[in-house]
Amino acid sequence: MPPETVHFAEVILPLPLYGTFTYRIPPSLSGAVAPGCRVVVPFGRKKFYTAIVVAVGTSSPQGFEVKDIVSAPDDEPVLRYPQMKFWEWIAEYYLCSAGDVYKAAVPAGLKIESETFVELNPDYEESADDRLGEREAIIAQSLDHNGKMTAADIEKKTGLQRVETIIMRMVEKGVIIISEKLVERYRSKKETCVRLTAGRDDNDAMHRAFDAVKSAPKQEKMLVTLVDMLNKCRNNGQDEEVTRQALLESTGLSPAILSALVTKDIVSTHVREINRFRYIGVATGEPPVLSEAQNVALRDIHKTFLEKDVVLLHGVTSSGKTEIYIHLIDFVLKKGEQVLYLVPEIALTTQLTRRLQKVFGDKVVIYHSKFSDNERVDIWKRVLHDPSPCVIIGARSSLFLPFSKLGLVIVDEEHEASYKQFDPAPRYNARDCAIVLASMHGARTLLGSATPSVETYYKALNGRYGLVSLTERFEGVELPSIRVVDMAEARKRDGASGPFSHELVRLSREALKRGEQAIFFHNRRGYAPVVLCRLCGYVPKCQNCDVSLTYHRRAGEMVCHYCGATYKLPTICPSCKEPSIEVHGYGTERIEDTVESVFPQVKISRMDLDTTRNKDGYENIINEFSSGKTDILVGTQMVTKGLDFDRVSIVGVLNADTLINFPDFRASERAFNMLEQVAGRAGRREKRGIVVVQTTQPSHPVISFLQSHDYTGFYHHELDERRRFSYPPFTRVINIYLKHRDEYRLIDASARYADTLRTLFGNRVFGPDEPHVARVQSLYIRKIMLKVETQASMRKVKDILRSVYESFMADAALRSMQVYYDVDPM
């Protein structure tokens, strides 16, 4: 017999490594491994990872030993071909590895990984010379009681912080040993179902069943109830089975009665996997009625889609863009296709989901990072296995779902920086990726915004995208009145106290008396952004980052907003040893406290990262404010993005200067967009709203354009600035970041790196410079800016940058230096 053909698989690992890796497919898995499937493979000495197969072939690699695939968890692929093509594009355009994309794209619940576990060493004996410290003893006791544990589990059980250092010390002493365990994170949700053993149409069998329970009244009651419930299922066109829980709740009987029916072979039970996100409610199936202006815009969008794959809907705030989206979604679903509806903030999915479910019912699917691993895997599987039409609402991670019939992608608030992934790689912009994803599926893309990004509006005006405008608010409501308060002048003439001008307080009190609501926007969380000594000027800084610490009073600690490290607020100044530590400035936490004193007996809620850490945080805050249970909402930029509250008549921007003065070429654009968006929360129904903007720069161009709601004027002003200094949309910017623990080695290496790039790219290279924060998590940072022509090939740019990187990494002294790229930074 001829020898059996040996097959090999090319796989992607969820690691920041370029290229694919080759593994042998053992005979036991022959036929079970195909592109798009998951396989568990060994990597390194003891690690195991879930890899994704990208190709299968018979070519044997030369020059190294090929390891075998350990297992193949799937009967069929978990990825579709367009997804893998999409991953390749992201990796190439954003200058990262396919492993980076894989790690970001696939829910952790689908990645079986080798986790490090620690356990007590049974051979260890404590000696008098080497006794355990207090924290070591606590960990040893916990391991003795619980057995093998991860570092995270030890922290949770013991309450100790940063236990990794202690664990390593205990390993060196021989107290504990490290082992590896393969962990599958996903757990499907299941329920037990009950059905009749014989069919209900089998009269003889049914008679025998009732005869068998005649002398047992409780069993008879359960059987009668079951038959009634199965009749309802049949009438509704559903499977003739009911859940065990529903049957027990309907009868009020114990599980033992059900077990008796199973023993008598009258009923049978089985376990089925269920979807965690079933919609319980009645859907109308009818999109909302549109105004004449909305109907015109809808017709224009359909017409423009005949010529352009991408259309920008430029509609002023509260013009009813969402109602237009719903009509487009209805059109696409009726064609049997899927819709992806991207929003910049998870908070927006709360209001939006309710509106869409009223029309589309269980065709609405929600997907974002606040869901648990199990929940995200459930949605992934639904989209993978169910090709029926649906609309997926989600933040940027929903781009990676396994769509099969994608017909439309909607990117709401397309200008938002939240669509940009900053860390870790891939540092992609979901808006731009959505356009590419749609084109790969032959779908259309609709971008919507009241304040489009400069790049998007430029493409629309130059014919690359279609452009549809909606210039009036729904039902003719006027745009809000903008009142600018010069805080420098106000403080001189005693017209302000704390963070509030007297003008804002007066207008807010009048609105509250009328039963209306107010929003106060301040883009800085925590209690106080500055802690300092009033005598010597000492400012506590993070030990790991070059930033001052923000005081969070409710937590009773100072927090670094870059690495998350926490510190106790000192009572004595560490520098001058005097009890003179004070807190200065205002974060949203302190604003909330101040509001309570300025507006007594008013109910207040706060929306920022600290109050929305769990999945239900957004929903609870929004529901309470929407229902009128709270009167004032204090928040960061989360409150600016597309939320719709009927009774809000006053919006206060407490400090516009922090937006305008940020050192970045997009600062003016970001400030105008955010201020115009937050202004749009005011007066969204019958009455014109008022927006109070507090600033020390009332003559700044951004403020001038804001007062007249003049987006077009702002756009042309900003475009002239960009043209003068060769910024996007006239060039493409790539920021190259270099990080190292040794500052002096980094300074030297970054200068040489920039010089090497200049020999290849010429005057397109700028820097190296210190970024706004020059050290994070004990790593010093330098930034080199590369401006390339918009028509330049990203593949060629990537190849050049890769060759420079590889030549530098050949120097052993620089191998610990980190280099990464941020393409199209926001």
Side-chain angles (χ1 to χ4, degrees):
M1 286 181 65
E4 187 175 342
T5 303
V6 179
H7 287 82
F8 299 89
E10 294 292 321
V11 305
I12 299 171
L13 289 165
L15 298 169
L17 302 171
Y18 287 86
T20 58
F21 295 82
T22 306
Y23 287 85
R24 191 174 76 93
I25 303 173
S28 60
L29 296 178
S30 179
V33 176
C37 285
R38 295 182 301 164
V39 290
V40 178
V41 297
F43 190 78
R45 294 179 60 191
K46 292 184 178 180
K47 293 284 186 181
F48 292 86
Y49 291 97
T50 301
I52 296 290
V53 178
V54 294
V56 174
T58 57
S59 299
S60 175
Q62 303 297 317
F64 60 90
E65 180 188 357
V66 181
K67 296 179 180 178
D68 281 1
I69 291 171
V70 174
S71 66
D74 306 308
D75 296 327
E76 56 186 20
V78 296
L79 258 68
R80 299 183 182 279
Y81 170 72
Q83 281 177 285
M84 303 180 76
K85 187 179 172 187
F86 185 48
W87 287 12
E88 289 173 10
W89 180 86
I90 290 176
E92 180 174 304
Y93 186 85
Y94 290 102
L95 306 176
C96 63
S97 70
D100 286 319
V101 184
Y102 168 27
K103 194 166 185 179
V106 177
L110 286 175
K111 296 194 281 278
I112 305 169
E113 293 185 1
S114 178
E115 288 193 346
T116 300
F117 280 71
V118 295
E119 60 183 316
L120 283 176
N121 182 356
D123 299 325
Y124 175 73
E125 290 183 8
E126 186 175 354
S127 66
D129 296 329
D130 195 13
R131 300 187 67 83
L132 296 181
E134 181 182 352
R135 300 176 79 192
E136 293 173 340
I138 292 172
I139 292 175
Q141 186 177 5
S142 185
L143 288 169
D144 184 50
H145 181 71
N146 296 290
K148 288 183 181 180
M149 298 172 70
T150 64
D153 289 337
I154 291 172
E155 288 189 349
K156 191 182 295 183
K157 291 281 186 183
T158 63
L160 299 174
Q161 299 293 316
R162 303 185 186 92
V163 299
E164 290 83 358
T165 305
I166 311 169
I167 288 172
M168 292 310 298
R169 195 161 58 237
M170 293 174 74
V171 169
E172 291 171 5
K173 291 181 178 180
V175 183
I176 57 179
I177 55 177
I178 291 177
S179 60
E180 299 292 328
K181 179 182 177 182
L182 211 58
V183 177
E184 184 166 13
R185 302 177 186 276
Y186 174 63
R187 294 290 181 272
S188 60
K189 188 173 183 180
K190 298 176 180 178
E191 63 185 6
T192 302
C193 294
V194 182
R195 60 174 53 169
L196 291 169
T197 305
R200 285 189 307 106
D201 297 328
D202 189 339
N203 292 328
D204 291 339
M206 292 302 297
H207 279 301
R208 287 194 299 272
F210 277 102
D211 288 342
V213 298
K214 191 183 297 182
S215 58
K218 291 184 178 180
Q219 294 177 28
E220 186 177 32
K221 177 184 176 183
M222 182 169 284
L223 183 56
V224 170
T225 304
L226 176 62
V227 171
D228 288 342
M229 294 174 76
L230 292 176
N231 282 333
K232 290 179 182 177
C233 290
R234 174 180 279 190
N235 293 337
N236 293 331
Q238 299 171 340
D239 291 339
E240 293 190 35
E241 61 184 19
V242 299
T243 66
R244 177 177 180 270
Q245 182 180 355
L247 180 60
L248 295 178
E249 287 177 355
S250 296
T251 59
L253 299 172
S254 69
I257 305 301
L258 177 59
S259 298
L261 294 179
V262 173
T263 302
K264 291 179 179 180
D265 200 29
I266 296 171
V267 303
S268 63
T269 62
H270 72 279
V271 177
R272 70 179 180 186
E273 192 172 314
I274 62 168
N275 191 322
R276 288 176 166 84
F277 304 99
R278 291 175 294 182
Y279 172 65
I280 301 171
V282 179
T284 65
E286 292 296 326
V289 177
L290 299 182
S291 68
E292 181 56 34
Q294 289 172 317
N295 269 313
V296 170
L298 180 61
R299 287 195 297 269
D300 287 347
I301 290 169
H302 279 297
K303 184 179 177 181
T304 310
F305 270 147
L306 297 175
E307 301 174 359
K308 304 285 184 182
D309 291 337
V310 183
V311 173
L312 169 64
L313 174 59
H314 179 204
V316 297
T317 56
S318 197
S319 57
K321 293 187 289 295
T322 305
E323 284 80 5
I324 294 174
Y325 298 158
I326 290 173
H327 277 262
L328 289 166
I329 291 167
D330 183 57
F331 175 76
V332 173
L333 293 183
K334 284 177 178 173
K335 286 172 35 180
E337 296 175 338
Q338 298 164 326
V339 179
L340 173 59
Y341 191 149
L342 285 176
V343 292
E345 281 284 357
I346 296 169
L348 293 182
T349 62
T350 301
Q351 285 190 331
L352 197 54
T353 299
R354 286 197 293 266
R355 293 175 72 175
L356 266 64
Q357 282 179 335
K358 285 180 182 177
V359 180
F360 304 114
D362 60 6
K363 291 180 181 177
V364 178
V365 180
I366 310 101
Y367 187 84
H368 55 65
S369 59
K370 289 287 183 182
F371 284 155
S372 68
D373 284 345
N374 289 342
E375 290 170 329
R376 296 177 79 187
V377 172
D378 276 351
I379 297 167
W380 184 283
K381 288 188 171 182
R382 172 176 171 176
V383 178
L384 179 68
H385 298 301
D386 184 0
S388 59
C390 65
V391 51
I392 290 109
I393 305 171
R396 58 178 181 257
S397 59
S398 55
L399 277 172
F400 297 110
L401 286 168
F403 302 101
S404 57
K405 295 181 179 179
L406 192 61
L408 174 68
V409 178
I410 297 169
V411 185
D412 196 19
E413 311 293 357
E414 66 81 28
H415 63 277
E416 277 290 348
S418 300
Y419 281 124
K420 175 71 172 178
Q421 162 77 12
F422 290 98
D423 273 314
R427 295 170 179 85
Y428 66 98
N429 188 314
R431 176 200 61 204
D432 300 336
C433 290
I435 294 169
V436 173
L437 176 70
S439 69
M440 289 180 174
H441 284 267
R444 300 289 186 267
T445 305
L446 181 67
L447 309 176
S449 177
T451 55
S453 70
V454 170
E455 290 97 317
T456 298
Y457 202 62
Y458 178 80
K459 290 173 183 175
L461 291 181
N462 284 276
R464 185 169 171 185
Y465 298 163
L467 176 62
V468 175
S469 297
L470 191 57
T471 57
E472 65 180 58
R473 282 185 144 192
F474 187 67
E475 296 182 342
V477 176
E478 288 185 89
L479 287 165
S481 166
I482 308 291
R483 303 191 186 183
V484 178
V485 176
D486 185 340
M487 290 299 282
E489 279 296 316
R491 294 192 194 284
K492 281 180 187 176
R493 51 183 173 78
D494 199 26
S497 57
F500 297 107
S501 64
H502 294 173
E503 171 90 343
L504 176 56
V505 172
R506 179 182 63 80
L507 291 169
S508 300
R509 282 182 176 148
E510 290 173 0
L512 294 168
K513 281 180 184 177
R514 294 192 299 265
E516 296 163 354
Q517 294 171 304
I519 291 177
F520 295 149
F521 165 62
H522 188 64
N523 206 29
R524 201 182 273 272
R525 66 187 176 96
Y527 185 81
V530 178
V531 179
L532 59 80
C533 173
R534 70 173 184 272
L535 295 180
C536 71
Y538 166 80
V539 175
K541 289 194 173 184
C542 178
Q543 295 174 7
N544 307 312
C545 312
D546 279 346
V547 290
S548 57
L549 299 169
T550 301
Y551 178 54
H552 289 244
R553 196 174 73 171
R554 280 167 178 69
E557 56 193 12
M558 299 182 296
V559 179
C560 173
H561 285 176
Y562 280 81
C563 72
T566 59
Y567 304 83
K568 287 185 177 180
L569 181 70
T571 53
I572 304 295
C573 174
S575 178
C576 68
K577 311 302 180 186
E578 294 292 333
S580 49
I581 292 290
E582 296 179 340
V583 295
H584 291 266
Y586 287 85
T588 48
E589 190 181 339
R590 192 174 187 183
I591 297 288
E592 183 184 18
D593 286 354
T594 308
V595 169
E596 288 177 352
S597 61
V598 175
F599 302 93
Q601 286 143 8
V602 166
K603 293 178 181 174
I604 303 153
S605 58
R606 172 166 57 96
M607 183 186 286
D608 57 26
L609 186 63
D610 299 316
T611 61
T612 57
R613 290 191 184 277
N614 64 56
K615 181 176 65 178
D616 300 322
Y618 295 103
E619 188 167 359
N620 293 339
I621 294 168
I622 290 169
N623 286 344
E624 287 184 359
F625 195 63
S626 296
S627 62
K629 292 180 181 177
T630 52
D631 304 298
I632 295 177
L633 178 62
V634 176
T636 56
Q637 59 182 339
M638 291 180 183
V639 303
T640 71
K641 300 175 183 178
L643 296 171
D644 189 0
F645 302 116
D646 294 353
R647 294 166 51 209
V648 173
S649 63
I650 181 85
V651 168
V653 179
L654 302 188
N655 188 353
D657 299 344
T658 57
L659 303 175
I660 295 169
N661 296 329
F662 197 80
D664 182 79
F665 78 90
R666 294 188 194 274
S668 292
E669 178 187 9
R670 195 179 297 120
F672 179 84
N673 290 352
M674 199 172 290
L675 292 171
E676 183 68 20
Q677 290 289 334
V678 75
R681 302 317 108 206
R684 297 175 68 85
R685 290 299 178 264
E686 297 87 9
K687 186 176 179 182
R688 190 183 191 192
I690 297 173
V691 180
V692 177
V693 179
Q694 301 182 164
T695 177
T696 60
Q697 304 173 72
S699 60
H700 194 285
V702 167
I703 303 298
S704 301
F705 290 121
L706 179 69
Q707 283 184 281
S708 55
H709 300 285
D710 184 8
Y711 170 79
T712 305
F714 168 77
Y715 164 78
H716 288 296
H717 175 271
E718 184 68 10
L719 196 68
D720 287 343
E721 291 283 306
R722 302 277 187 92
R723 184 183 287 109
R724 192 184 315 164
F725 295 104
S726 296
Y727 278 114
F730 304 105
T731 58
R732 176 175 290 133
V733 171
I734 302 172
N735 285 338
I736 304 163
Y737 290 92
L738 299 90
K739 293 184 176 181
H740 201 282
R741 291 188 181 277
D742 187 323
E743 182 180 13
Y744 298 104
R745 188 174 292 180
L746 176 66
I747 291 170
D748 175 65
S750 61
R752 288 194 287 127
Y753 211 98
D755 289 342
T756 303
L757 290 173
R758 282 192 186 92
T759 63
L760 300 165
F761 291 103
N763 61 4
R764 301 177 182 89
V765 179
F766 302 84
D769 302 308
E770 280 193 7
H772 179 58
V773 177
R775 185 172 65 105
V776 174
Q777 294 181 332
S778 300
L779 292 172
Y780 293 92
I781 309 168
R782 289 295 181 274
K783 182 182 80 172
I784 300 169
M785 179 187 287
L786 174 63
K787 293 180 183 178
V788 297
E789 293 76 7
T790 53
Q791 65 271 22
S793 165
M794 288 302 287
R795 175 172 290 180
K796 290 181 180 178
V797 172
K798 181 180 180 180
D799 290 343
I800 294 170
L801 291 175
R802 187 69 192 166
S803 66
V804 172
Y805 171 80
E806 288 173 353
S807 67
F808 263 76
M809 290 304 110
D811 184 346
L814 296 176
R815 283 176 191 163
S816 56
M817 184 172 70
Q818 297 178 22
V819 180
Y820 65 86
Y821 312 96
D822 187 6
V823 180
D824 301 335
M826 294 292 287

